[in-house]
Amino acid sequence: MEALVATAVGVLTAVGIYLVLRLRTFPVVLGMALLSYAVNVFLFVSGRLVVDRPPILLLKLDSYTDPLPQALVLTAIVISFGMTALVVIMALGAFLESGTDRVDTDDAGTARREEGR
C-alpha cells in the first residue's frame, strides 16, 4: 500500500512539474493543481496508513489514526481551491488583455519568438 501511494505522489509531482514548465497558462494552472494534490496526498499519508481505526484517542483503544494530517489536508484543499480560482481569474485577465495565453510575452503583449528561428 505504501509503495502504491509513494508512486502516486511521485507521478503527480512529476506530471505537475512538467505542466508548470509549459509555455501556456492553462497547463501551468493544471500543473499547480496536480502539485497541490501531490502535497495533499503526502500530508495525508504522513499520518500513517491505518485502516478501520477512529481518528480520536479513547482510553480503551490500542491504536488510532492521527487526526492532525486529516485536518491539514482539509485546510490545504480549501486553500488550494481558492488559489486555483485566483490564478484562473488572473490568467483570464491576462488573456483578455494581451490576446494570447503564452507565458513568455514581452511588455507590449506580443509573444517572443525563439532566438534560433
Side-chain angles (χ1 to χ4, degrees):
M1 180 76 168
E2 288 86 3
L4 177 66
V5 173
T7 303
V9 169
V11 168
L12 281 173
T13 303
V15 173
I17 290 173
Y18 175 76
L19 288 174
V20 164
L21 296 175
R22 305 300 297 168
L23 293 178
R24 304 274 183 189
T25 55
F26 185 69
V28 170
V29 172
L30 285 179
M32 293 299 290
L34 286 177
L35 283 174
S36 71
Y37 294 153
V39 169
N40 288 342
V41 171
F42 179 75
L43 283 175
F44 188 71
V45 171
S46 70
R48 290 181 292 147
L49 294 174
V50 180
V51 180
D52 294 334
R53 298 289 180 210
I56 299 171
L57 179 61
L58 298 176
L59 295 176
K60 297 179 183 180
L61 290 178
D62 296 354
S63 71
Y64 62 95
T65 303
D66 190 10
L68 183 63
Q70 296 174 15
L72 288 174
V73 168
L74 286 175
T75 305
I77 288 170
V78 171
I79 291 171
S80 67
F81 178 73
M83 290 304 297
T84 302
L86 177 71
V87 169
V88 166
I89 294 300
M90 289 175 59
L92 182 62
F95 172 72
L96 293 175
E97 182 73 25
S98 67
T100 183
D101 68 340
R102 292 185 61 88
V103 176
D104 60 340
T105 58
D106 59 6
D107 291 335
T110 58
R112 290 186 211 155
R113 291 188 173 77
E114 295 180 13
E115 295 293 327
R117 294 184 182 180

